[in-house]
Amino acid sequence: MSKVLQKAREYESVHGGRIKDSERPAFHLTPYTGWMNDPNGFSMYDGKYHMFYQYYPYKSVWGPMHWGHAVSEDLLHWENLPAALAPDMNYDKDGCFSGSAATLPDGKQLLMYTGVNKETDENGDIRELQTQCLAVGDGKDYVKFDMNPVLTAENIPEGSSRTDFRDPKIIPAKDGYYCVVGSRPADGSGQILLYHSTDGFDWKFKSILVQNKNRFGKMWECPDFFELDGKWVLLTSPQDMLPEGFEYHNGNGTLCLIGSFDEESGTFTDEINQAVDYGIDYYAPQTVLTPDGRRIMIGWMQNWDACAIRDSEEPWAGQMSIPREISIKNGRLYQWPAREVLSLRRERVLHNDVAMSGRVVLPGISGRCADIILKIRPRDPEDVYHKFSMRFAENDDFHTTISFRPREGVLKVDRKFSGSRRAIIHQRRSLVEESRDGSISLRIILDRFSTEIFVNDGASVMTCATYTDPSVDGISFFTDGEAVVDVEKYTLA
Ligand code: FRU
């Protein structure tokens, strides 16, 4: 094992152990210690789910990237394993960037990641090279392939950037493996490249799978590509987005393209585009296929533009979303908390047909780790309420609000009063056209430091991190007008 990896493993075992369970989320994955971004190598291996992640153990800020590692049987209770990769070779000395995992025919686990190497040229300018590299292991210890890197600037279409070439996601193919990689063509926007390998080691360029052509942001990061309900889905996270109505927001975003894949030519034709998440904090999702055939997605519950919400002095920064089962319905990507979440449910509190007007507090409805289902409708369909809202993580000083204005069809999450001391984005709105009549259902998953709001059976999702002290656990409702609401709440533990 290299000194760099050994040092990281020693550091995390000492410092990770010092973080109390109560200082972490109850059922969302956080780094062993220090910083976490993108999910990597999300896979099933040797009977367990493996999650690797972009990792800097030494501080709660981004730094030279390692791969952190955790395993789970139910996608909710994670066991930290020692760091899997460290930037310890010449070709990855400036970082082991995002990538994926596959199981080899001999039972070993293959990791494919981006190696980053910065060189100073004769003018003193820094040139960053990104290449694709491999490591093979047993689910805990990994050895880097001695022929690394396996994909370099020699394997990209002419005119494509040698710097922006990253995040390989391996997917199964009939005769071996495909992998999709984010790239930047000469037009400065994004494209996804498709490669093929029969053995997982010898990779050949096949095609440009799809081009952004400056439609959705610039560079496309962290692609995933899979078949779902008879269609093909490309997930990617574009940088430098421009806002488009309520669909896409400025900065780093998430994009889901639904369409068809012509395997012979290796091209994907998108028919539908939508955001994956309409909240503030969701990026770089990866999926895994479960043994029972479900496609489960987990994303980084943070946005690059809002990282400052977490104080860098905290012992950890960055968390993963809950596992979400995804499907295509009504021509859209639907998401729903994986059924494993049901196993966390404890005391049930039910209040049906509650007439709401003004402020309402309900017996038994409080807490920071909860699964809350709200079915909201107007008392009089001819006189739709103006606004319905739920405040949580609430006391006299703090609260975060989810609010719906049916007359505008706008659902909003607002963490302005959550205790944040930074001038960053604190609220985001999304359009729920189908609920302009005032009927809307929300399933809200609260953990100590996050909220994930599944709208109308999962037709859209809004995700947001909040770092209000976990002891602040009030929940209240406010209605401008008159609504009738069914409230069902479970404590999650
Ligand atoms: C996306 C990303 C990836 C890269 C990684 C570096 O969040 O920029 O493209 O591999 O983060 O940590």
Side-chain angles (χ1 to χ4, degrees), residues 10 27 66 95 128 164 172 207 215 221 226 235 240 277 304 373 378 396 438 445 453 456 480 486:
E10 280 166 15
F27 49 91
H66 297 55
E128 183 175 313
D164 290 310
S207 54
R215 292 176 297 163
E221 301 189 305
F226 48 86
L235 302 179
D240 306 308
D277 197 281
W304 284 114
I373 297 140
D396 290 345
I445 303 286
I453 309 159
N456 290 339
D480 179 1
D486 299 336

Side-chain angles (χ1 to χ4, degrees), residues 51-122:
M51 177 61 90
F52 304 82
Y53 50 88
Q54 289 288 280
Y55 181 40
Y56 184 59
Y58 305 110
K59 270 190 119 184
S60 294
V61 294
W62 193 87
M65 282 288 111
H66 297 55
W67 273 36
H69 190 189
V71 288
S72 172
E73 274 167 24
D74 63 0
L75 297 158
L76 298 163
H77 298 90
W78 293 94
E79 180 198 340
N80 284 309
L81 291 187
L85 300 176
D88 52 14
M89 303 298 279
N90 189 47
Y91 53 81
D92 65 16
K93 69 176 173 38
D94 295 297
C96 298
F97 275 17
S98 283
S100 53
T103 304
L104 291 165
D106 67 359
K108 292 260 167 58
Q109 193 176 33
L110 178 72
L111 306 182
M112 191 171 193
Y113 68 98
T114 300
V116 180
N117 176 316
K118 289 184 185 164
E119 288 171 352
T120 311
D121 67 15
E122 54 282 5

Side-chain angles (χ1 to χ4, degrees), residues 37-38 54 62 65 97-98 166-167 221-222 239 283-284 300 304:
N37 58 287
D38 316 348
Q54 289 288 280
W62 193 87
M65 282 288 111
F97 275 17
S98 283
R166 59 181 174 272
D167 310 335
E221 301 189 305
C222 301
Q239 296 178 309
Y283 199 67
W300 180 40
W304 284 114

